[in-house]
Amino acid sequence: MKCSKTLSVEIASVGSYLPERVLSNDDLSEMVDTSDEWIYPRTGIRERRIAAPEQATSDLAAAAAEQALARAGLEPEGLDAILVATCTPDHQFPATACLVQAALGARNALACDLEAACSGFVYALTHAAAMLETGMADNILVIGAETLSRMTDYTDRRSCILFGDGAAAALLRRATDGGQVLYTELGADGSGGDLLIIPAGGTRSPASLETVKNRRHYMKIKGPEVFKIAVNKLLELLQRIPEETGVDLADIKMVIPHQSNARIINSMLKRAGMDLGKAYMNIDRVGNTSAASIPIALAEAVEQGKLQRGDLVLLMAFGGGLTWASALLRY
Ligand code: UT7
């Protein structure tokens, strides 16, 4: 789905939360046969954050949400909707968004989760923008939150080095400060679903002693296959921006890509002829946090003053599903 209609919707505020515990590459090298020398050059990751045992995804999400609301000066009762993008919910149901709604006391908000893996935040933002543009809602909290460490197999060196935990929230409203959503593109190819998957625990393969014994409740990733598809698909998304929007890539102030692998991001920008410095990167400190990755990076860019009102910013994601998404915003 492509939408090149300009929407008068803007990000009013952002908030983020990263758990305190740091898991470094050296820590991982004591758990599996790996090393910082292997991980960093291949991925750009040096460390990632891990949620405390008592924390679940809704706790991280609520902390990020509270910060976004406080920064916008909006009471929780003023929210019309809470959309949580996550592939690591607290439970199969209720939705993590409902737990966040209760934690915030946002009693007037609808609440539901959206699962599009690493593309989830951009998917949710696009749905929220459509609801705001039609006048169905005035204030929507879009949250990306993950506790991937709970689904990570720390005996599998091919995947455990990648993932971390965290959350971030963006409060979206009809524009009052000149912000716009200029273009969004969302896509999927379910035939590649097995490339990134938690095989058991759903209706296809319910939890059993066998599934637990065979470690089938952990994420399985066919890394090299995903890598190749991700680079090509992200490049396609990037190259479509000028033809769909008339915006020159040189005029984009910042690209905020899903932080999956620094090599994927650099390769995409290089092949598109873009300055590598345009990408906001925090993968070295945060790792891959799936649906939380783009909003965490966005929140940091805003907090650091690297993104100002009026700047063009391009959000880009690729992940499990397979799914992909881009959104060109005037911040
Ligand atoms: O967020 C959703 C999107 N996700 C992604 O886009 C992830 C995309 N994929 C990747 O980022 C990369 O494929 C990985 C970082 C996951 C893996 O890097 P790679 O360069 O594709 O490595 P590989 O899987 O092809 O493995 C190369 C070698 C293998 O050894 P042999 O079989 O050639 O002897 C692996 O066993 O490196 C070995 N290896 C490791 N060695 C040390 C794999 N993982 C590790 C490790 N430490 N952690």
Side-chain angles (χ1 to χ4, degrees):
M1 185 203 81
K2 292 182 210 159
C3 176
S4 45
K5 181 176 184 284
T6 298
L7 310 180
S8 291
V9 168
E10 69 190 9
I11 294 174
S13 65
V14 287
S16 63
Y17 175 80
L18 291 176
E20 271 172 36
R21 185 180 155 213
V22 173
L23 183 70
S24 69
N25 290 348
D26 289 341
D27 295 332
L28 280 166
S29 71
E30 287 169 18
M31 298 157 73
V32 286
D33 181 15
T34 192
S35 61
D36 182 55
E37 291 69 33
W38 193 95
I39 301 169
Y40 183 67
R42 296 260 178 159
T43 65
I45 303 170
R46 286 223 188 270
E47 59 188 40
R48 63 292 286 146
R49 298 299 184 95
I50 304 294
E54 68 278 9
Q55 287 178 315
T57 299
S58 67
D59 301 313
L60 315 189
E66 276 166 10
Q67 194 176 59
L69 287 176
R71 285 175 175 171
L74 185 76
E75 293 300 324
E77 292 83 1
L79 285 172
D80 300 306
I82 299 172
L83 304 182
V84 174
T86 186
C87 56
T88 52
D90 289 27
H91 307 282
Q92 290 275 355
F93 69 89
T96 299
C98 291
L99 304 173
V100 174
Q101 189 241 25
L104 297 177
R107 59 195 164 86
N108 299 316
L110 72 84
C112 67
D113 291 356
L114 194 151
E115 202 279 275
C118 309
S119 310
F121 178 78
V122 184
Y123 263 61
L125 179 139
T126 303
H127 284 71
M131 287 164 78
L132 290 162
E133 179 72 11
T134 58
M136 290 170 71
D138 293 325
N139 294 296
I140 302 184
L141 205 48
V142 181
I143 304 172
E146 303 282 9
T147 316
L148 291 162
S149 61
R150 302 280 152 75
M151 311 293 177
T152 296
D153 184 349
Y154 288 102
T155 67
D156 175 12
R157 69 176 184 173
R158 285 172 186 261
S159 62
C160 73
I161 55 154
L162 298 171
F163 302 109
D165 302 335
L171 178 66
L172 264 67
R173 66 180 177 205
R174 278 203 298 282
T176 57
D177 229 356
Q180 292 171 318
V181 177
L182 295 165
Y183 178 70
T184 50
E185 179 170 346
L186 310 179
D189 176 7
S191 69
D194 64 331
L195 297 177
L196 277 154
I197 190 168
I198 297 179
T203 55
R204 178 72 57 195
S205 178
S208 67
L209 289 177
E210 197 67 14
T211 60
V212 172
K213 198 176 85 193
N214 293 327
R215 311 185 78 76
R216 292 176 63 76
H217 295 271
Y218 292 121
M219 282 180 289
K220 314 283 177 202
I221 169 169
K222 293 185 179 146
E225 285 96 321
V226 175
F227 188 100
K228 279 186 218 116
I229 304 171
V231 172
N232 291 328
K233 184 51 78 178
L234 288 167
L235 182 64
E236 234 179 74
L237 288 174
L238 188 55
Q239 287 174 334
R240 212 149 29 233
I241 294 295
E243 67 199 52
E244 293 288 343
T245 65
V247 170
D248 197 301
L249 293 182
D251 293 332
I252 295 174
K253 173 82 182 293
M254 181 180 282
V255 178
I256 302 188
H258 165 49
Q259 310 283 308
S260 54
N261 186 318
R263 285 191 298 139
I264 293 179
I265 297 166
N266 289 336
S267 161
M268 165 187 73
L269 293 180
K270 207 165 151 193
R271 284 167 65 187
M274 276 182 96
D275 173 5
L276 301 192
K278 286 219 170 179
Y280 187 91
M281 299 257 246
N282 61 11
I283 189 169
D284 57 326
R285 290 177 286 112
V286 179
N288 178 346
T289 56
S290 194
S293 122
I294 289 176
I296 291 172
L298 174 69
E300 287 185 4
V302 171
E303 282 156 18
Q304 293 163 10
K306 291 181 175 160
L307 203 55
Q308 308 280 349
R309 288 283 175 210
D311 288 342
L312 289 175
V313 56
L314 178 63
L315 314 182
M316 303 191 73
F318 181 89
L322 302 170
T323 57
W324 52 88
S326 69
L328 181 64
L329 315 178
R330 187 175 300 286
Y331 177 68

